[in-house]
Amino acid sequence: MGRVTTLRRAIGEGVAPLVDLVYPPRCPACGEGIGEQGGLCVDCWNDLAIPGDPSCALCQRPFGESGPDEGSICAPCLGSPPVHDGIAAGTLYTDTSRKLVLALKHGRRIALAPLLARLIAARIPQAEDERLIIPVPLHRWRLWHRGFNQAALLAGELAKAGCGTLMVDGLRRTKRTPSLGGMGAKARARALAGAIAVSWADSVKGRHILLVDDVLTSGATSTACVKALKRAGAKTVVIACFARVLDEARVHT
């Protein structure tokens, strides 16, 4: 979808139907035919799980229709209060959201970023002041290997949508870390110790931050980022992600 969407933009919408004739629009998640480039088929739209209310007052974890009243706090947050100031997740992790994330990150279908970012933007709460939008960083070796940072692509689209001011290099990875999949909480913390640093402390001091990533799984990496930003004086840090994996449905991406 990325090459086709780019081609449509390059030649203009006037002759875009010719592009669609050569490259018929397909759902990026399942491959079914759709009406136009850049969307999803009905079945895949229906498989996306959009978080709703009531939800946890601290992490926005959805309780479900039969859950506690608004303003309640979920059990994970009661057991371990988060260091962040909220989570804005475009979707919960489902088979379709997984396919979209993998297509963006490993399939290099970067034209999916606007679609994913629109779903994130719809869940971002209002802030007192303009936010700085900072993506979760990749280590330079991984960035060179992949060619792009998917979190930075999403952050750029959120900035275009008016969600704040992009600071693409606000955080940096100071060392390479192993895959955190399968590690316990203590092992993840050890692996990430000293791995995240703020690039421009004066720029984040006193500011509201939107920390952007594609998927929120264990939260270990985002927690390390939040702690670094808070140490630098950030006033609030809200985590914005496309897909959120709930504790009872941990997976690897």
Side-chain angles (χ1 to χ4, degrees), residues 21 23 25 35 60 79 93 95 103 106 108 118 122 130 143 153 157 160 166 169 190 208 211 229:
L21 181 64
Y23 301 101
Q60 286 74 59
Y93 204 84
D95 185 55
H106 300 303
R108 300 178 180 273
R118 286 196 298 271
E130 184 179 25
L143 181 60
L153 293 177
E157 293 298 330
K160 291 177 185 178
L166 178 63
D169 57 351
R190 286 195 298 269
H208 297 284
L211 177 68
L229 290 165

PDB file of all heavy atoms in Angstrom, residues 21 23 25 35 60 79 93 95 103 106 108 118 122 130 143 153 157 160 166 169 190 208 211 229:
ATOM      1  N   LEU A  21      -6.643   1.304 -11.032  1.00  0.00           N
ATOM      2  CA  LEU A  21      -6.906   0.282 -12.032  1.00  0.00           C
ATOM      3  C   LEU A  21      -5.730  -0.691 -12.128  1.00  0.00           C
ATOM      4  O   LEU A  21      -5.902  -1.908 -12.251  1.00  0.00           O
ATOM      5  CB  LEU A  21      -7.169   0.931 -13.392  1.00  0.00           C
ATOM      6  CG  LEU A  21      -7.499  -0.015 -14.556  1.00  0.00           C
ATOM      7  CD1 LEU A  21      -8.810  -0.744 -14.295  1.00  0.00           C
ATOM      8  CD2 LEU A  21      -7.588   0.772 -15.864  1.00  0.00           C
ATOM      9  N   TYR A  23      -3.252  -0.916  -9.702  1.00  0.00           N
ATOM     10  CA  TYR A  23      -3.048  -1.467  -8.357  1.00  0.00           C
ATOM     11  C   TYR A  23      -4.370  -1.386  -7.605  1.00  0.00           C
ATOM     12  O   TYR A  23      -4.621  -0.435  -6.875  1.00  0.00           O
ATOM     13  CB  TYR A  23      -1.980  -0.680  -7.601  1.00  0.00           C
ATOM     14  CG  TYR A  23      -0.625  -0.662  -8.267  1.00  0.00           C
ATOM     15  CD1 TYR A  23      -0.206   0.452  -8.991  1.00  0.00           C
ATOM     16  CD2 TYR A  23       0.237  -1.747  -8.150  1.00  0.00           C
ATOM     17  CE1 TYR A  23       1.050   0.481  -9.576  1.00  0.00           C
ATOM     18  CE2 TYR A  23       1.484  -1.733  -8.738  1.00  0.00           C
ATOM     19  CZ  TYR A  23       1.884  -0.612  -9.451  1.00  0.00           C
ATOM     20  OH  TYR A  23       3.120  -0.587 -10.039  1.00  0.00           O
ATOM     21  N   PRO A  25      -7.212  -1.285  -4.976  1.00  0.00           N
ATOM     22  CA  PRO A  25      -7.108  -1.084  -3.522  1.00  0.00           C
ATOM     23  C   PRO A  25      -7.350  -2.376  -2.758  1.00  0.00           C
ATOM     24  O   PRO A  25      -8.302  -3.104  -3.036  1.00  0.00           O
ATOM     25  CB  PRO A  25      -8.211  -0.054  -3.228  1.00  0.00           C
ATOM     26  CG  PRO A  25      -8.465   0.620  -4.532  1.00  0.00           C
ATOM     27  CD  PRO A  25      -8.239  -0.425  -5.575  1.00  0.00           C
ATOM     28  N   GLY A  35     -12.742  -0.100  -1.304  1.00  0.00           N
ATOM     29  CA  GLY A  35     -13.169   0.970  -2.189  1.00  0.00           C
ATOM     30  C   GLY A  35     -12.084   1.943  -2.582  1.00  0.00           C
ATOM     31  O   GLY A  35     -12.093   2.461  -3.692  1.00  0.00           O
ATOM     32  N   GLN A  60      -6.353   4.511  31.915  1.00  0.00           N
ATOM     33  CA  GLN A  60      -7.379   4.386  30.879  1.00  0.00           C
ATOM     34  C   GLN A  60      -7.619   2.942  30.454  1.00  0.00           C
ATOM     35  O   GLN A  60      -8.120   2.677  29.359  1.00  0.00           O
ATOM     36  CB  GLN A  60      -7.059   5.250  29.650  1.00  0.00           C
ATOM     37  CG  GLN A  60      -7.276   6.731  29.856  1.00  0.00           C
ATOM     38  CD  GLN A  60      -6.192   7.358  30.732  1.00  0.00           C
ATOM     39  OE1 GLN A  60      -5.021   7.293  30.394  1.00  0.00           O
ATOM     40  NE2 GLN A  60      -6.581   7.939  31.846  1.00  0.00           N
ATOM     41  N   GLY A  79      -1.940  -1.862  42.539  1.00  0.00           N
ATOM     42  CA  GLY A  79      -0.802  -2.629  43.002  1.00  0.00           C
ATOM     43  C   GLY A  79       0.520  -1.956  42.733  1.00  0.00           C
ATOM     44  O   GLY A  79       1.469  -2.080  43.517  1.00  0.00           O
ATOM     45  N   TYR A  93      -5.011  -4.620  21.459  1.00  0.00           N
ATOM     46  CA  TYR A  93      -4.294  -5.538  20.585  1.00  0.00           C
ATOM     47  C   TYR A  93      -5.201  -6.684  20.138  1.00  0.00           C
ATOM     48  O   TYR A  93      -5.674  -7.474  20.954  1.00  0.00           O
ATOM     49  CB  TYR A  93      -3.079  -6.088  21.320  1.00  0.00           C
ATOM     50  CG  TYR A  93      -1.975  -6.574  20.404  1.00  0.00           C
ATOM     51  CD1 TYR A  93      -1.046  -5.698  19.874  1.00  0.00           C
ATOM     52  CD2 TYR A  93      -1.867  -7.922  20.071  1.00  0.00           C
ATOM     53  CE1 TYR A  93      -0.031  -6.133  19.055  1.00  0.00           C
ATOM     54  CE2 TYR A  93      -0.852  -8.376  19.252  1.00  0.00           C
ATOM     55  CZ  TYR A  93       0.064  -7.473  18.745  1.00  0.00           C
ATOM     56  OH  TYR A  93       1.074  -7.915  17.922  1.00  0.00           O
ATOM     57  N   ASP A  95      -5.989  -9.367  16.390  1.00  0.00           N
ATOM     58  CA  ASP A  95      -5.303  -9.929  15.228  1.00  0.00           C
ATOM     59  C   ASP A  95      -5.111  -8.872  14.148  1.00  0.00           C
ATOM     60  O   ASP A  95      -4.049  -8.788  13.520  1.00  0.00           O
ATOM     61  CB  ASP A  95      -6.107 -11.109  14.676  1.00  0.00           C
ATOM     62  CG  ASP A  95      -5.376 -11.818  13.538  1.00  0.00           C
ATOM     63  OD1 ASP A  95      -4.219 -12.235  13.744  1.00  0.00           O
ATOM     64  OD2 ASP A  95      -5.956 -11.947  12.445  1.00  0.00           O
ATOM     65  N   ALA A 103       2.910  -4.871   9.554  1.00  0.00           N
ATOM     66  CA  ALA A 103       3.042  -4.347   8.197  1.00  0.00           C
ATOM     67  C   ALA A 103       3.804  -3.024   8.196  1.00  0.00           C
ATOM     68  O   ALA A 103       4.624  -2.763   7.313  1.00  0.00           O
ATOM     69  CB  ALA A 103       1.663  -4.164   7.572  1.00  0.00           C
ATOM     70  N   HIS A 106       7.732  -4.096  10.199  1.00  0.00           N
ATOM     71  CA  HIS A 106       8.586  -5.073   9.534  1.00  0.00           C
ATOM     72  C   HIS A 106       8.309  -5.192   8.036  1.00  0.00           C
ATOM     73  O   HIS A 106       9.182  -5.612   7.287  1.00  0.00           O
ATOM     74  CB  HIS A 106       8.429  -6.441  10.194  1.00  0.00           C
ATOM     75  CG  HIS A 106       8.798  -6.442  11.645  1.00  0.00           C
ATOM     76  ND1 HIS A 106      10.034  -6.053  12.101  1.00  0.00           N
ATOM     77  CD2 HIS A 106       8.087  -6.764  12.761  1.00  0.00           C
ATOM     78  CE1 HIS A 106      10.075  -6.141  13.426  1.00  0.00           C
ATOM     79  NE2 HIS A 106       8.901  -6.569  13.849  1.00  0.00           N
ATOM     80  N   ARG A 108       7.557  -2.566   6.237  1.00  0.00           N
ATOM     81  CA  ARG A 108       7.974  -1.277   5.675  1.00  0.00           C
ATOM     82  C   ARG A 108       6.848  -0.563   4.922  1.00  0.00           C
ATOM     83  O   ARG A 108       7.107   0.207   3.996  1.00  0.00           O
ATOM     84  CB  ARG A 108       9.196  -1.455   4.757  1.00  0.00           C
ATOM     85  CG  ARG A 108      10.409  -2.024   5.470  1.00  0.00           C
ATOM     86  CD  ARG A 108      11.578  -2.244   4.533  1.00  0.00           C
ATOM     87  NE  ARG A 108      12.716  -2.797   5.237  1.00  0.00           N
ATOM     88  CZ  ARG A 108      13.636  -2.079   5.872  1.00  0.00           C
ATOM     89  NH1 ARG A 108      13.543  -0.763   5.873  1.00  0.00           N
ATOM     90  NH2 ARG A 108      14.638  -2.660   6.488  1.00  0.00           N
ATOM     91  N   ARG A 118      -4.381   8.471  13.045  1.00  0.00           N
ATOM     92  CA  ARG A 118      -5.731   9.021  13.203  1.00  0.00           C
ATOM     93  C   ARG A 118      -6.472   8.327  14.343  1.00  0.00           C
ATOM     94  O   ARG A 118      -7.207   8.963  15.105  1.00  0.00           O
ATOM     95  CB  ARG A 118      -6.523   8.888  11.900  1.00  0.00           C
ATOM     96  CG  ARG A 118      -6.110   9.866  10.817  1.00  0.00           C
ATOM     97  CD  ARG A 118      -7.154   9.960   9.720  1.00  0.00           C
ATOM     98  NE  ARG A 118      -7.360   8.699   9.024  1.00  0.00           N
ATOM     99  CZ  ARG A 118      -6.665   8.319   7.961  1.00  0.00           C
ATOM    100  NH1 ARG A 118      -5.703   9.093   7.488  1.00  0.00           N
ATOM    101  NH2 ARG A 118      -6.921   7.168   7.352  1.00  0.00           N
ATOM    102  N   ALA A 122      -7.648  10.254  18.027  1.00  0.00           N
ATOM    103  CA  ALA A 122      -9.020  10.278  18.529  1.00  0.00           C
ATOM    104  C   ALA A 122      -9.099   9.975  20.015  1.00  0.00           C
ATOM    105  O   ALA A 122     -10.102  10.292  20.659  1.00  0.00           O
ATOM    106  CB  ALA A 122      -9.878   9.277  17.745  1.00  0.00           C
ATOM    107  N   GLU A 130       0.120  23.423  25.051  1.00  0.00           N
ATOM    108  CA  GLU A 130       0.556  22.632  23.901  1.00  0.00           C
ATOM    109  C   GLU A 130       1.582  21.583  24.333  1.00  0.00           C
ATOM    110  O   GLU A 130       2.480  21.850  25.123  1.00  0.00           O
ATOM    111  CB  GLU A 130       1.176  23.533  22.830  1.00  0.00           C
ATOM    112  CG  GLU A 130       1.549  22.769  21.570  1.00  0.00           C
ATOM    113  CD  GLU A 130       2.145  23.662  20.502  1.00  0.00           C
ATOM    114  OE1 GLU A 130       2.689  24.717  20.873  1.00  0.00           O
ATOM    115  OE2 GLU A 130       2.097  23.287  19.321  1.00  0.00           O
ATOM    116  N   LEU A 143      18.063   1.552  14.036  1.00  0.00           N
ATOM    117  CA  LEU A 143      17.518   2.532  13.101  1.00  0.00           C
ATOM    118  C   LEU A 143      18.173   2.380  11.736  1.00  0.00           C
ATOM    119  O   LEU A 143      17.491   2.410  10.698  1.00  0.00           O
ATOM    120  CB  LEU A 143      17.739   3.939  13.647  1.00  0.00           C
ATOM    121  CG  LEU A 143      17.203   5.094  12.809  1.00  0.00           C
ATOM    122  CD1 LEU A 143      15.698   4.989  12.619  1.00  0.00           C
ATOM    123  CD2 LEU A 143      17.559   6.436  13.454  1.00  0.00           C
ATOM    124  N   LEU A 153       7.450   8.010  12.887  1.00  0.00           N
ATOM    125  CA  LEU A 153       6.479   8.223  11.814  1.00  0.00           C
ATOM    126  C   LEU A 153       5.111   8.576  12.398  1.00  0.00           C
ATOM    127  O   LEU A 153       4.437   9.508  11.927  1.00  0.00           O
ATOM    128  CB  LEU A 153       6.362   6.970  10.947  1.00  0.00           C
ATOM    129  CG  LEU A 153       7.581   6.580  10.108  1.00  0.00           C
ATOM    130  CD1 LEU A 153       7.304   5.278   9.373  1.00  0.00           C
ATOM    131  CD2 LEU A 153       7.936   7.689   9.126  1.00  0.00           C
ATOM    132  N   GLU A 157       2.889  12.202  12.225  1.00  0.00           N
ATOM    133  CA  GLU A 157       1.495  12.311  11.792  1.00  0.00           C
ATOM    134  C   GLU A 157       0.634  12.965  12.877  1.00  0.00           C
ATOM    135  O   GLU A 157      -0.288  13.730  12.568  1.00  0.00           O
ATOM    136  CB  GLU A 157       0.944  10.927  11.445  1.00  0.00           C
ATOM    137  CG  GLU A 157       1.592  10.284  10.228  1.00  0.00           C
ATOM    138  CD  GLU A 157       1.371  11.072   8.951  1.00  0.00           C
ATOM    139  OE1 GLU A 157       0.320  11.745   8.839  1.00  0.00           O
ATOM    140  OE2 GLU A 157       2.239  11.028   8.068  1.00  0.00           O
ATOM    141  N   LYS A 160       1.129  16.624  12.625  1.00  0.00           N
ATOM    142  CA  LYS A 160       0.369  17.163  11.494  1.00  0.00           C
ATOM    143  C   LYS A 160      -1.108  17.307  11.850  1.00  0.00           C
ATOM    144  O   LYS A 160      -1.787  18.207  11.350  1.00  0.00           O
ATOM    145  CB  LYS A 160       0.508  16.241  10.281  1.00  0.00           C
ATOM    146  CG  LYS A 160       1.885  16.209   9.659  1.00  0.00           C
ATOM    147  CD  LYS A 160       1.916  15.218   8.509  1.00  0.00           C
ATOM    148  CE  LYS A 160       3.303  15.065   7.926  1.00  0.00           C
ATOM    149  NZ  LYS A 160       3.332  14.047   6.834  1.00  0.00           N
ATOM    150  N   LEU A 166       6.258  18.499  17.303  1.00  0.00           N
ATOM    151  CA  LEU A 166       7.129  17.345  17.199  1.00  0.00           C
ATOM    152  C   LEU A 166       8.544  17.674  17.664  1.00  0.00           C
ATOM    153  O   LEU A 166       9.130  18.688  17.275  1.00  0.00           O
ATOM    154  CB  LEU A 166       7.179  16.841  15.754  1.00  0.00           C
ATOM    155  CG  LEU A 166       8.094  15.643  15.475  1.00  0.00           C
ATOM    156  CD1 LEU A 166       7.615  14.413  16.239  1.00  0.00           C
ATOM    157  CD2 LEU A 166       8.140  15.364  13.977  1.00  0.00           C
ATOM    158  N   ASP A 169      13.849  14.101  18.189  1.00  0.00           N
ATOM    159  CA  ASP A 169      15.056  13.639  18.860  1.00  0.00           C
ATOM    160  C   ASP A 169      15.050  13.994  20.340  1.00  0.00           C
ATOM    161  O   ASP A 169      16.105  14.136  20.960  1.00  0.00           O
ATOM    162  CB  ASP A 169      16.308  14.231  18.194  1.00  0.00           C
ATOM    163  CG  ASP A 169      16.289  15.758  18.154  1.00  0.00           C
ATOM    164  OD1 ASP A 169      15.234  16.348  18.482  1.00  0.00           O
ATOM    165  OD2 ASP A 169      17.317  16.357  17.787  1.00  0.00           O
ATOM    166  N   ARG A 190      16.564  -4.161  34.447  1.00  0.00           N
ATOM    167  CA  ARG A 190      18.025  -4.193  34.362  1.00  0.00           C
ATOM    168  C   ARG A 190      18.501  -3.927  32.934  1.00  0.00           C
ATOM    169  O   ARG A 190      19.472  -3.205  32.706  1.00  0.00           O
ATOM    170  CB  ARG A 190      18.551  -5.548  34.833  1.00  0.00           C
ATOM    171  CG  ARG A 190      18.492  -5.762  36.341  1.00  0.00           C
ATOM    172  CD  ARG A 190      19.353  -6.951  36.748  1.00  0.00           C
ATOM    173  NE  ARG A 190      18.881  -8.183  36.138  1.00  0.00           N
ATOM    174  CZ  ARG A 190      17.998  -9.005  36.698  1.00  0.00           C
ATOM    175  NH1 ARG A 190      17.480  -8.709  37.893  1.00  0.00           N
ATOM    176  NH2 ARG A 190      17.626 -10.126  36.097  1.00  0.00           N
ATOM    177  N   HIS A 208       4.289  19.616  28.912  1.00  0.00           N
ATOM    178  CA  HIS A 208       3.435  18.437  28.799  1.00  0.00           C
ATOM    179  C   HIS A 208       3.942  17.622  27.614  1.00  0.00           C
ATOM    180  O   HIS A 208       4.118  18.157  26.516  1.00  0.00           O
ATOM    181  CB  HIS A 208       1.980  18.841  28.573  1.00  0.00           C
ATOM    182  CG  HIS A 208       1.381  19.618  29.703  1.00  0.00           C
ATOM    183  ND1 HIS A 208       0.977  19.035  30.876  1.00  0.00           N
ATOM    184  CD2 HIS A 208       1.136  20.937  29.839  1.00  0.00           C
ATOM    185  CE1 HIS A 208       0.488  19.952  31.689  1.00  0.00           C
ATOM    186  NE2 HIS A 208       0.578  21.122  31.085  1.00  0.00           N
ATOM    187  N   LEU A 211       4.278  10.944  24.675  1.00  0.00           N
ATOM    188  CA  LEU A 211       5.281   9.938  24.340  1.00  0.00           C
ATOM    189  C   LEU A 211       4.641   8.918  23.402  1.00  0.00           C
ATOM    190  O   LEU A 211       3.663   8.266  23.775  1.00  0.00           O
ATOM    191  CB  LEU A 211       5.782   9.255  25.609  1.00  0.00           C
ATOM    192  CG  LEU A 211       6.792   8.130  25.434  1.00  0.00           C
ATOM    193  CD1 LEU A 211       8.125   8.661  24.921  1.00  0.00           C
ATOM    194  CD2 LEU A 211       6.986   7.367  26.743  1.00  0.00           C
ATOM    195  N   LEU A 229      12.096  11.497  31.233  1.00  0.00           N
ATOM    196  CA  LEU A 229      11.461  12.792  30.982  1.00  0.00           C
ATOM    197  C   LEU A 229      11.085  13.485  32.285  1.00  0.00           C
ATOM    198  O   LEU A 229      11.253  14.712  32.419  1.00  0.00           O
ATOM    199  CB  LEU A 229      10.225  12.601  30.098  1.00  0.00           C
ATOM    200  CG  LEU A 229      10.509  12.200  28.644  1.00  0.00           C
ATOM    201  CD1 LEU A 229       9.242  11.689  27.968  1.00  0.00           C
ATOM    202  CD2 LEU A 229      11.081  13.388  27.866  1.00  0.00           C
TER     203      LEU A 229
END
